[in-house]
Amino acid sequence: MSIEKQKNYKIAVIGNPGSWSTEKLADELYERTSFRLVVDPAQLAFDMQGRTLVAGNTDLAELDGLAIKKIGPVYSPDMYNRLEILRFFCSLGKPVFSRPEMVMMAVNRLSCTVNLQIGNIPMPPTVITESRDEAVRAVRKFGKAVFKPLFSSKARGMLLVEDNANCGSAIANFQASGNTAMYIQKMVQIPGRDLGISFLGGKYIGTYARRKGNSWNTCTSNGGKYEPCEPDAETINLASKAQDLFNLDFTCVDVVETEDGPMVFEVSAFGGFRGLYHACGLNAAGMYAEYIINQLESRQ
């Protein structure tokens, strides 16, 4: 059954052309507005003198709004450049979901962690340092630690380091591979899963779990599986407090259940549709499209 067209809004999706989540959101917006456009953020062009922001033949200032689903195929410092360009779009009075400055706070693992710590959100013990000696001390203190790149998703580039004879060389290789500042987090005991607790407009909409396979992490690209989950009120409340610090329109809070209670790994800059869809049967992309249109309607 087709969805009745709601408004003739022109809303472009900033994301990775061809990727499931980007295309899904573009499809859901099209079903409601009859307009569909996916913009590769690498194709943005900002003309300061002309005060224009274009992508190909499209003047984005002529659109009603933008929805940021992804800002590139890989996480990197280039994201900041693209987000700064999109911040100009906001200065024109055009709505962007989520606002670029809010995304900036979450897209870098260190920035996200600092914001969570300022907000007194419990997290696994973590050390950030450029010193290899301090990194070795951290591993010795933790016994087993996960080294995480500051820009990464889906466990890409993460390294599990144990307190053994190979510890120093593993750390040196990790730092030499482009990780000047090393983000070192204690490997905490978990019940074989972590949780993706999702929010739309600051309101809780559902949770999926990632059950790990044969890897040390729960990432689906490493054999993890999505499954439905209903966390207790304490866990949902913690995730809600964490996402409140970032004011993102759609996000997912990664939470781990530990012997010391729930702890937060991170707040996602973009959130994920796939886990909610496969585990819970929730069409989060459709819900987000409805939310965006309602927000535009409220501005009228």
Side-chain angles (χ1 to χ4, degrees), residues 98 197-200 243 248-253 267-272:
S98 297
I197 304 179
S198 302
F199 297 84
L200 178 61
Q243 65 89 34
L248 296 161
D249 290 298
F250 178 72
T251 188
C252 174
V253 183
V267 175
S268 171
F270 309 110

Side-chain angles (χ1 to χ4, degrees), residues 19-298:
S19 74
W20 186 85
S21 60
T22 295
E23 301 293 345
K24 178 66 172 171
L25 181 56
D27 287 344
E28 295 291 344
L29 285 168
Y30 174 77
E31 285 292 317
R32 292 160 174 81
T33 66
S34 298
F35 180 84
R36 191 184 197 282
L37 178 64
V38 172
V39 175
D40 183 342
Q43 301 305 311
L44 293 171
F46 170 35
D47 182 341
M48 286 188 290
Q49 185 175 12
R51 296 186 67 77
T52 61
L53 182 61
V54 301
N57 295 322
T58 302
D59 181 353
L60 299 185
E62 294 180 354
L63 304 181
D64 295 298
L66 301 177
I68 303 176
K69 190 61 197 78
K70 292 292 183 183
I71 206 68
V74 296
Y75 279 43
S76 75
D78 290 338
M79 288 180 159
Y80 282 117
N81 301 333
R82 295 167 181 173
L83 289 166
E84 284 290 4
I85 289 173
L86 291 173
R87 195 160 66 90
F88 170 76
F89 186 88
C90 293
S91 76
L92 301 177
K94 299 291 185 177
V96 179
F97 308 90
S98 297
R99 289 184 63 88
E101 60 268 31
M102 299 296 104
V103 176
M104 287 180 186
M105 293 171 64
V107 76
N108 177 306
R109 181 166 279 110
L110 179 53
S111 298
C112 181
T113 297
V114 168
N115 207 39
L116 289 170
Q117 288 303 289
I118 290 173
N120 295 314
I121 301 298
M123 299 180 68
T126 303
V127 170
I128 297 97
T129 183
E130 296 182 28
S131 166
R132 293 182 186 177
D133 290 340
E134 291 299 329
V136 170
R137 290 190 184 95
V139 174
R140 287 175 179 167
K141 179 172 65 174
F142 296 154
K144 187 182 295 185
V146 181
F147 282 61
K148 301 181 177 182
L150 297 185
F151 294 93
S152 74
S153 65
K154 303 184 185 303
R156 294 186 183 97
M158 294 186 185
L159 179 67
L160 180 61
V161 179
E162 299 186 46
D163 182 15
N164 57 33
N166 298 321
C167 173
S169 60
I171 291 171
N173 290 336
F174 178 80
Q175 189 174 47
S177 65
N179 301 294
T180 303
M182 292 173 284
Y183 186 104
I184 309 160
Q185 197 162 69
K186 181 179 179 180
M187 182 74 169
V188 293
Q189 294 296 318
I190 64 174
R193 69 178 191 178
D194 59 17
L195 310 180
I197 304 179
S198 302
F199 297 84
L200 178 61
K203 297 180 179 179
Y204 172 69
I205 60 171
T207 298
Y208 59 89
R210 288 175 294 251
R211 176 73 59 180
K212 71 177 182 178
N214 295 323
S215 176
W216 60 267
N217 63 68
T218 63
C219 185
T220 55
S221 60
N222 293 328
K225 301 294 183 183
Y226 293 122
E227 61 183 30
C229 177
E230 272 301 326
D232 58 29
E234 177 192 4
T235 302
I236 294 175
N237 185 54
L238 171 63
S240 181
K241 288 180 179 178
Q243 65 89 34
D244 276 344
L245 299 170
F246 295 86
N247 198 28
L248 296 161
D249 290 298
F250 178 72
T251 188
C252 174
V253 183
D254 289 345
V255 176
V256 59
E257 303 157 298
T258 77
E259 295 178 350
D260 298 318
M263 296 182 179
V264 172
F265 277 141
E266 64 182 10
V267 175
S268 171
F270 309 110
F273 299 148
R274 197 185 296 267
L276 289 171
Y277 181 78
H278 288 295
C280 310
L282 285 178
N283 180 7
M287 296 169 68
Y288 196 17
E290 292 278 353
Y291 168 86
I292 290 170
I293 292 169
N294 288 338
Q295 290 297 305
L296 292 178
E297 185 72 10
S298 68

